[in-house]
Structures are given as structure tokens and as C-alpha cells.
Amino acid sequence: MNTPISWLKAYVPDLNVEVEEFVDAITLSGSHVESYEKKDKNLEKIVVGKIEKIERHPDADKLIICQVNIGADAPLQIVTGAPNLKEGDLVPTVLDGGKVAGGHDGGPLPENGIKIKKGKLRGVESFGMMCAIEELGSSRDLYPEAPEDGVYVFPEDSGVKPGEDAIEALGLHDAVVEYEITSNRVDCFSMIGMAREAAATYGLAFHPPVVPETTKGGEVEQYASVEVEATDLCPRYCARVVKNLKIGPSPKWMRERLAAQGIRSINNLVDITNYVMEEYGQPMHAFDLDTVAGHKIVVKRAKDGDKFVTLDGQERTLDSGVLMICDGEKEIGIAGIMGGENSMVTDSISTLLFEAACFDGTNIRLASKRIGLRTDASSKFEKGLDPNLALEAINRACQLVEELGCGEVVDGVIDIYPNPVEPWELPFEPEKMNRLLGMEVPEEMMLDFFERLGLTYNKETNQLTIPTYRQDLHCMADLAEEVARLYGYDKLPSTLPCGEATVGKKSFEMLVEDVVRDVCENNGFSGGMTYSFESPKVYDKLLLPADSALRKAIVIANPLGEDFSIMRTISLNGMITSLATNYNRRNKNARLYEIGNIYLPKELPLTELPEERKMLTLGMYGEGDFFTMKGVVEELFQKLGLFQAFTYDPQGGYPFLHPGRQAAIRKGEQIIGYIGQLHPEVVDNYDMKGEAYVAVLDLPKLAALATFDRKYEGVAKFPASTRDLSMVMEKNIFVGQVEAVIKKHGGKLLESYQLFDVYEGEQVGKGKKSVAYSMTFRAKDRNLEANEVNAITEKIIEGLKKLGIELRS
């Protein structure tokens, strides 16, 4: 939203501030300023000069020598090549040392302007310069009386005198301020709205245009009629008629104000509709009544597939969601967006139908998007206008028609408004507002703020009446915000927060994750993060069978590409990809871990949110082997207080792991995760060589088993007794089975056991291996006797024999 300061002064006459001060003040009161531009930037020492005498240059056919009266004792001699000058002309004249904004060609304006100095032209001294309108930073769109090639000449009725400020005479002592208006402040998308904000900011009197009221009906009904079929999309429609039109140029003040908004002047009639749209924020449209069949307006929905040619000459395809303005036979405009080519206003118009309506903002936005056409009008309608604005705006347009002598306004107005919007009330609660803001603003000051903004207060009921243009005020907090911004956010005191303090802490699951990270990083693993989006090709790289449940993944509706088209159901792909990246960049050793989710749908297609399980994934290559990885996992179990018996099942059946070097990690019948060496074919699929090891643990299951309860045990008072067992067994018997027997028969006196030797060779026989364990026994209350330890050892040996294990001789 752009607002010239001069236009704001039309409603706030006492607004006499520099633009820099205004920008700071209006920003602090809640209207964020994006930028501002001074129209008199780089215009210095420019006065009105009157040409007293013109002579030919003795040495140049296209130059003339002018004696210019600038209100001083002696005239100023200026040499120029302008072809349009004559004696008696009043022209803007730059004095020696002055500045102009740009060159005569109207090209881009230099940042610091152009300085004018006295000099000689073909031997004749020149002490200044007479200016074209482009050299003053303006254009012929704003000053159509300016010549296309030559110096600007003030009109004879301008009333200017030699020596006066030419910039003031041209109306260029002005600035245009650009705001960023939030969508909830629809009232600020207008000059009147921003003028009201300026008046409220400075506490000045606000003088909106005084528009005569118009009664409903009257003579206008003899000229036209209106029917609104789609009342849900058009809550109000106003129409007025102007006859005996006189098309011509707009006055200078109107052209200046429109130009400051970036709107080119067309003619007085079109300019009035644009002017009112900027002044009130209410778009308007004008129809040539003679082209309206039956002189009847019908507001209704279009039909699917209808074609319509808009004012810009483009054919638009419509649907039933687009609201149309129709006459008795055809469609003549897209409501709230653009009129039709078949009803455009031409210079031959004699009778005009003015339209000012309120349309549903959401429908206008959606319709504008579907037909591919967005206009200034649609951008205002889509924000949701106040229906009560329509009648005032159309009356203002008719007022300007009469003031500018554009035609005769027919008495009366057609106003279709079945459900009027009334002002609403909110209680005045100063104590609550002060508590919310954390400061003490007096009641009288609050009421003064509300009065500036157009709210009225009823002392008897203690209610504030909210005008309909303030659609953003609905509760006490909204009113408190108005008080705060006008009181000054910079005046809000610094206060400590109040309320009951709560003790924050990490959840148990977060504490488990902290331990996981500590163990991983203490063992040389670096944390990583990989994509949850993956490619379906991952399943083939991991050798998953066609009927694997892990292939049932959630497909993303709008993927970045095939490589990111599904949600991962297994966490290995990202880890192996990261290991491969390190390998191919010649890192000899790599140890990585990731804590991330997998996404397991309960059914496909999705009917509810999938199960998200957080998994710990470990990966490494280089130094270390299967048992190194197993050691990290068991250290993690120990740190989490998981002293229960975990078993490693070699029959896990994971296709992506080496068939002889893998295991499912179990706690009873529950699988906690798996560990193993990657299958050689999988390693090859990821462009790696050698051996790589992975482990994956289900963190929710670990958290359910974990405990941080620890019981202190003092230093042992009695000595321990140790026994070593050296056994021979079949190779297919796992040490886990051996340890289960030792633990079962060791009883309470078994303090610890440790595997210290595994041997395979001819000495123990083919298909067999030798395993040796050291066992420590201790009693807390006495010295153990040899026969007690021997008895326990015998029980362990008998248990081992049931597995076919023999003592080594």
C-alpha cells in the first residue's frame, strides 16, 4: 500500500511532519513501513523564471539566448536549445549550483542527481538551465500539458510568479510511503484507513470526505434494475446511474494522486473509479448502460465450461465457482475481478451504470486463481471487505462526478443488502488490559485512543461499539493491542515473568538415548543423520525377498523424485550409503551410528498414521570384527542396567547379513535387534569391498527393559575361589549355551565367569573346538571351603555333559 503524504493531509490537515519522522512514528504505532521516496529528491535551487527576451545564438542555429526574470534585480542569461519557448513563458529554472533529478531523455534517474553549473555554450555564457518535466523526475503521464520535446511551461492560469519555488508550484514537495499491511487490517488498504491511522498516531483531527447520503430507490429505478441470485457470494450490491456524460481529462490533483499510486490517468470517468478504489479501498466498476441488455443486472454463478472475454482481450474458461455479473441476455463481467470486453466504457458513452459491491473474499481468491487473472480489485476483495463500505464509496464516486462536471447523477440508489452487518460491542475492561500488557495506562487515555480509532464508548453500559470496518477487533486482547501500539511499544516496561515455576527434566526415553550416544561415541562411533525418504530400489540392494513385509512402504504423494518416493521401513540403507561414501573417499576406518525413525504402515493404503519406531543403527568397517560390534552392544546393555540374559540366535535369517556371521538379539521370545557382517553381495551393491559390520537395536524395546536403579555393594570381606574348566565340544555348540549352564548351576556363590580361550585344531579332533572358562566363587559372609566349590563345579560339569560337552584331558 502506497500513500503520498500530500494525500493523507487532505484528511489530516494538521499533519505537518517530515517524512522521516512520520515513518518512525507510524511504524511504532503498528503500520510497518517498507520504504519511502521523496518526490523532490535531488531537486535543488529551482525557481519560477519568466522569459523576458529571446535572441538567436550568433554561432548556433538551434540555440537561443534567453533573459530570464527570477525575481532578482537583474535577469539571468540562459542558453538553451528548447524549441517550444517564447517571450512571456513561465518555466522552472535551475540556478547555478542547483540540481535536477535526471536527464531530458527520461531514462533511469541517477542516484545523486545532476548538478548544474554556469558555463559557456558556443562562446556565450549561460548561468542556469530551464527544465523539461523529465529532468524534474516526473513524466508526461502526470503532466500531460508538458511538451514531448522541450521545456515545461507553466499554464497561464497557474498563478505562479517569478522567483517562487517551482517545485512547490509543481506539487513535488511530497513523499510516497510504502507499507506492508497485514491481511487482518483490511481498512488500511485505503487512503482513508491510513489517514485514520496517521491521525490516531499523532492525536490529530481526522476529516474524512463529507459525502451526501442517498436514499434507496428513486428515479434510478426507471433506468436500471438489479437481481442477486447468488446471495451467499454477494452480500451487497449497490448501483447508481449517471447520464449526459462528458468524457475528458481529470484535474491535476487527481492525476497526481493516482500517479503516486502507480496508476496512469485515462480519463475523468475511469480515474474516478480508480480514485475511489484507492481512497476507500472499495473497488468499483462502470458499465455503459446502453450496452446492458434490458438495463438489468443479474449476479449469478457461471456454468461449467463457459467462455468469457475480459477487458484485456483474453478468453477465460469459467466454472460454477466463478461469480458473474450478467445483463438480461449475457455475461458482462467477472465479479470482483474484471469487466467484459462486451460492456467496456468508450468515449461515446452517454449513460453510465456505477457498480459498488461486496463479494465473498474466499470465492474471489479461488476464482482468480482458477481462471489465471489477478487484478487490483480482486486483491482487495479477497481480503474480505466491509459491506457497509459499498454505499459510501458509490456515493463518493457520484459526488466526484458532479464536482468534476462529468455528468448528471440520477437521483436514488439501487441497494441489494438482505442481511446488513451491524456494529458489535465489547466490554471495556481496563484492568484486564493493563494486566495483560504489564503496565498501567489510565482509563481516560485508553478511551482517547479508542475515540481516535473510531470506536465509541457507552458509559452506562461500559461497552465499546466497534465500527464494521474494524473486522479485526473481537475480544479484550484485540483492544489491548490497540492500546499498546498507540501508547507506544517502546514505553512498555521490562518485567519479570510471573506464575508458578515448573521443574523441567528429560523423559526416561531421552535419558536412554543419552546413554546410547555416550556409549557409541566412547567407542569411536560418530553420530549421523540420513534421509527418511528412500527409493524402492533399496529393497533389491538389500536382497530382501519379494514377499518381505519390509517392502510394504508408504508412498509419498508429492516426492522430490523416485529416489525419495517412499518412507523407509528399515534403517540400513542410509547407514550403508554413508559407510560407502567414506570407503570411496579412502577413509581406512569408519564407525557411524544413527538414531532415527522407521515408518511401518498398519495397512496400505493408509487409513491411519503409521507406526514410527526409533532405531539405533551402528555401522563400521576397517579395524574391528563381529565381536568388536558385539562388545559395543553388550556395553550398551550394561550401561542401561540390562543384566538379564540376552541370547544371540544365529538363525535370524536376515538376507542382507552374512549367513554364517549374523545373529538376532533376543530377550526371551522378544527380538531386540540384530547384529552381523553385511552380506558380500550387499557390500558389492553399495560399491564397497571388504567386510562391514552393522547392528540395529529397537530403542522403544530397550527403554522398556532399561533401568537406572543401582545398588551399592561394599568391598568384599572374604577371599574368592577360582576354578578353570577346559572343555571339548562340537563346533555347532555356542558359548552362549555353555554360559547358560554355568549360570544356572553356579548358584548364588558364582560371582563371575570369563571365556579366556577358544582353540580349533588337530589336537581336539575334526569338527570340534576347545573352550576354556575361568569361574570365580565368593560368599559374602564367610570363607568358602573347597568341598563347596567342588560340589558346584561338579553340577556345572554334569550340566555340560547333557550338551555333549566333555572335559579336556
Side-chain angles (χ1 to χ4, degrees):
M1 180 68 192
N2 296 336
T3 61
I5 297 295
S6 60
W7 198 344
L8 294 183
K9 287 183 178 180
Y11 317 113
V12 191
D14 297 330
L15 185 65
N16 297 315
V17 294
E18 294 296 326
V19 65
E20 293 85 359
E21 178 190 340
F22 175 80
V23 164
D24 290 341
I26 202 76
T27 297
L28 285 174
S29 69
S31 301
H32 176 62
V33 174
E34 283 282 337
S35 62
Y36 67 91
E37 179 184 10
K38 290 185 175 181
K39 295 172 68 176
D40 59 359
K41 179 182 178 183
N42 295 324
L43 300 181
E44 299 176 6
K45 298 178 70 174
I46 304 177
V47 299
V48 176
K50 183 176 181 180
I51 301 176
E52 301 285 359
K53 183 179 180 181
I54 296 178
E55 298 176 338
R56 289 289 175 186
H57 193 290
D59 295 322
D61 294 337
K62 294 184 177 181
L63 297 179
I64 56 176
I65 303 171
C66 301
Q67 302 299 324
V68 183
N69 177 6
I70 57 169
D73 294 337
L76 195 70
Q77 179 172 291
I78 298 177
V79 179
T80 180
N84 64 314
L85 298 178
K86 64 182 185 300
E87 292 180 355
D89 283 345
L90 293 162
V91 297
T93 305
V94 191
L95 305 181
D96 178 30
K99 273 188 179 182
V100 293
H104 179 68
D105 58 359
L109 300 179
E111 179 64 26
N112 298 316
I114 300 173
K115 194 162 188 175
I116 304 302
K117 296 180 180 180
K118 64 181 180 180
K120 291 184 178 182
L121 289 178
R122 302 291 289 271
V124 177
E125 286 188 312
S126 180
F127 296 91
M129 184 181 80
M130 293 175 283
C131 303
I133 200 65
E134 290 81 5
E135 291 166 325
L136 300 176
S138 191
S139 68
R140 296 181 65 247
D141 288 338
L142 183 57
Y143 297 89
E145 72 274 14
E148 185 173 351
D149 183 21
V151 168
Y152 178 81
V153 178
F154 285 100
E156 294 181 0
D157 58 353
S158 62
V160 297
K161 297 178 180 178
E164 291 183 350
D165 185 348
I167 304 307
E168 178 70 29
L170 289 165
L172 293 177
H173 283 314
D174 197 3
V176 178
V177 181
E178 179 186 1
Y179 306 88
E180 180 188 2
I181 306 297
T182 53
S183 57
N184 66 320
R185 289 302 306 273
V186 184
D187 58 304
C188 288
F189 285 94
S190 66
M191 288 296 166
I192 288 178
M194 288 311 304
R196 186 184 292 110
E197 286 295 304
T201 298
Y202 284 97
L204 302 175
F206 171 58
H207 301 281
V210 179
V211 182
E213 295 184 3
T214 305
T215 56
K216 192 173 180 180
E219 186 184 354
V220 68
E221 294 182 347
Q222 300 174 15
Y223 285 83
S225 62
V226 175
E227 178 184 351
V228 179
E229 294 183 4
T231 54
D232 57 327
L233 301 182
C234 179
R236 189 174 196 181
Y237 193 99
C238 299
R240 295 198 68 179
V241 174
V242 179
K243 61 183 181 180
N244 299 327
L245 287 167
K246 300 175 183 177
I247 303 298
S250 298
K252 178 185 174 185
W253 64 266
M254 181 175 284
R255 296 198 310 270
E256 288 179 352
R257 292 178 179 180
L258 290 176
Q261 294 296 95
I263 300 174
R264 185 171 62 89
S265 175
I266 305 298
N267 56 50
N268 49 8
L269 188 59
V270 175
D271 290 354
I272 285 173
T273 62
N274 288 331
Y275 184 86
V276 173
M277 179 174 71
E278 297 302 322
E279 186 177 41
Y280 280 82
Q282 169 68 53
M284 296 185 61
H285 193 68
F287 296 103
D288 186 341
L289 191 58
D290 293 333
T291 66
V292 177
H295 291 184
K296 181 179 181 180
I297 294 293
V298 181
V299 184
K300 61 182 182 181
R301 287 178 167 84
K303 296 178 181 179
D304 290 334
D306 281 356
K307 306 290 185 181
F308 183 71
V309 180
T310 48
L311 277 172
D312 57 1
Q314 300 294 315
E315 184 179 74
R316 313 286 176 177
T317 301
L318 311 176
D319 58 49
S320 58
V322 179
L323 189 64
M324 300 299 295
I325 308 298
C326 309
D327 60 16
E329 299 175 355
K330 61 187 180 298
E331 296 161 328
I332 58 175
I334 304 177
I337 301 177
M338 185 177 281
E341 192 177 51
N342 55 8
S343 62
M344 65 186 302
V345 173
T346 63
D347 289 346
S348 61
I349 185 174
S350 61
T351 307
L352 172 80
L353 177 71
F354 265 137
E355 164 198 281
C358 182
F359 303 114
D360 179 75
T362 302
N363 176 263
I364 295 297
R365 178 174 57 84
L366 294 174
S368 174
K369 186 175 181 180
R370 287 198 303 276
I371 66 177
L373 178 61
R374 196 166 189 268
T375 60
D376 288 341
S378 68
S379 67
K380 292 184 183 295
F381 276 121
E382 66 189 27
K383 293 174 176 65
L385 296 183
D386 174 17
N388 292 327
L389 198 62
L391 181 59
E392 190 172 355
I394 202 170
N395 288 340
R396 172 62 167 163
C398 291
Q399 179 188 41
L400 290 171
V401 166
E402 292 184 335
E403 286 183 3
L404 302 185
C406 300
E408 301 174 20
V409 179
V410 175
D411 180 54
V413 61
I414 299 172
D415 187 7
I416 311 298
Y417 195 14
N419 301 302
V421 176
E422 301 292 341
W424 55 95
E425 293 185 339
L426 291 175
F428 177 52
E429 302 169 309
E431 293 182 0
K432 285 186 178 180
M433 286 189 274
N434 276 329
R435 283 202 302 271
L436 179 66
L437 297 174
M439 58 185 184
E440 292 296 329
V441 181
E443 289 187 25
E444 296 76 12
M445 185 177 290
M446 289 186 181
L447 291 174
D448 177 55
F449 292 156
F450 293 140
E451 184 180 357
R452 295 186 202 176
L453 295 169
L455 283 64
T456 55
Y457 175 62
N458 188 324
K459 189 174 182 180
E460 294 181 0
T461 61
N462 196 40
Q463 297 283 322
L464 289 164
T465 301
I466 313 300
T468 57
Y469 59 78
R470 285 306 302 270
Q471 300 179 31
D472 59 313
L473 301 182
H474 297 287
C475 63
M476 182 275 294
D478 295 333
L479 295 175
E481 182 183 7
E482 299 300 295
V483 171
R485 70 187 184 88
L486 292 181
Y487 181 72
Y489 289 120
D490 56 325
K491 298 177 184 176
L492 291 177
S494 297
T495 58
L496 294 173
C498 59
E500 296 181 1
T502 58
V503 178
K505 65 177 183 179
K506 290 185 176 182
S507 66
F508 184 79
E509 290 75 12
M510 295 172 70
L511 293 174
V512 169
E513 290 182 23
D514 287 345
V515 172
V516 168
R517 290 187 179 92
D518 288 344
V519 171
C520 292
E521 290 168 9
N522 289 341
N523 282 278
F525 287 77
S526 298
M529 182 181 294
T530 61
Y531 286 113
S532 296
F533 299 161
E534 291 187 334
S535 167
K537 299 175 182 177
V538 166
Y539 302 134
D540 295 330
K541 295 174 71 174
L542 293 175
L543 308 181
L544 293 177
D547 59 350
S548 173
L550 295 176
R551 286 183 177 266
K552 297 177 181 178
I554 303 165
V555 179
I556 299 168
N558 56 340
L560 298 174
E562 185 183 4
D563 290 343
F564 303 95
S565 60
I566 61 170
M567 302 294 290
R568 66 181 178 186
T569 57
I570 183 171
S571 60
L572 280 181
N573 175 65
M575 176 58 66
I576 303 174
T577 301
S578 298
L579 291 176
T581 300
N582 279 273
Y583 178 83
N584 290 311
R585 293 185 181 176
R586 302 183 182 280
N587 289 335
K588 293 182 179 180
N589 300 287
R591 292 190 177 192
L592 303 173
Y593 78 93
E594 178 188 13
I595 297 176
N597 288 345
I598 59 172
Y599 304 85
L600 305 174
K602 297 173 184 177
E603 60 178 318
L604 291 175
L606 285 178
T607 57
E608 57 182 311
L609 292 175
E611 179 186 7
E612 298 184 28
R613 296 200 70 80
K614 190 167 286 187
M615 310 297 286
L616 167 64
T617 307
L618 297 163
M620 72 177 193
Y621 69 81
E623 294 181 0
D625 55 15
F626 178 91
F627 296 103
T628 305
M629 184 69 83
K630 183 170 177 284
V632 175
V633 172
E634 293 190 341
E635 181 182 344
L636 175 60
F637 290 164
Q638 183 183 17
K639 294 292 186 182
L640 292 175
L642 302 178
F643 302 107
Q644 307 97 326
F646 284 89
T647 59
Y648 294 85
D649 182 2
Q651 306 301 323
Y654 298 101
F656 41 80
L657 297 179
H658 192 294
R661 299 173 187 172
Q662 63 167 274
I665 305 172
R666 292 180 177 272
K667 174 65 174 71
E669 295 299 319
Q670 183 177 216
I671 296 178
I672 305 298
Y674 53 85
I675 183 173
Q677 178 184 330
L678 285 177
H679 195 290
E681 190 174 339
V682 172
V683 172
D684 188 58
N685 288 341
Y686 284 87
D687 297 325
M688 295 175 63
K689 293 181 180 180
E691 298 177 356
Y693 300 89
V694 295
V696 177
L697 298 175
D698 191 315
L699 286 181
K701 291 180 180 178
L702 274 184
L705 297 171
T707 177
F708 294 114
D709 293 336
R710 300 291 187 269
K711 187 175 181 181
Y712 171 75
E713 293 186 2
V715 178
K717 297 180 180 179
F718 299 95
S721 180
T722 61
R723 295 289 187 275
D724 292 343
L725 288 179
S726 182
M727 300 160 280
V728 178
M729 64 189 75
E730 298 292 334
K731 289 179 64 174
N732 59 2
I733 297 177
F734 297 101
V735 292
Q737 296 172 272
V738 176
E739 292 176 356
V741 173
I742 294 174
K743 187 172 182 180
K744 178 181 177 180
H745 297 287
K748 296 181 179 180
L749 297 179
L750 178 64
E751 185 177 76
S752 64
Y753 53 87
Q754 184 174 3
L755 173 69
F756 68 86
D757 183 55
V758 177
Y759 173 74
E760 294 180 21
E762 297 180 359
Q763 291 86 342
V764 296
K766 187 176 181 181
K768 294 182 180 295
K769 61 183 176 182
S770 171
V771 176
Y773 271 91
S774 176
M775 300 177 295
T776 302
F777 300 91
R778 190 193 307 267
K780 297 181 180 179
D781 56 351
R782 68 186 190 282
N783 287 324
L784 286 177
E785 296 183 2
N787 58 352
E788 289 182 275
V789 178
N790 292 336
I792 296 172
T793 304
E794 287 298 325
K795 288 182 181 180
I796 293 172
I797 293 171
E798 290 299 321
L800 293 172
K801 286 181 179 179
K802 294 178 181 180
L803 295 177
I805 300 173
E806 299 177 355
L807 291 182
R808 186 175 178 183
S809 58

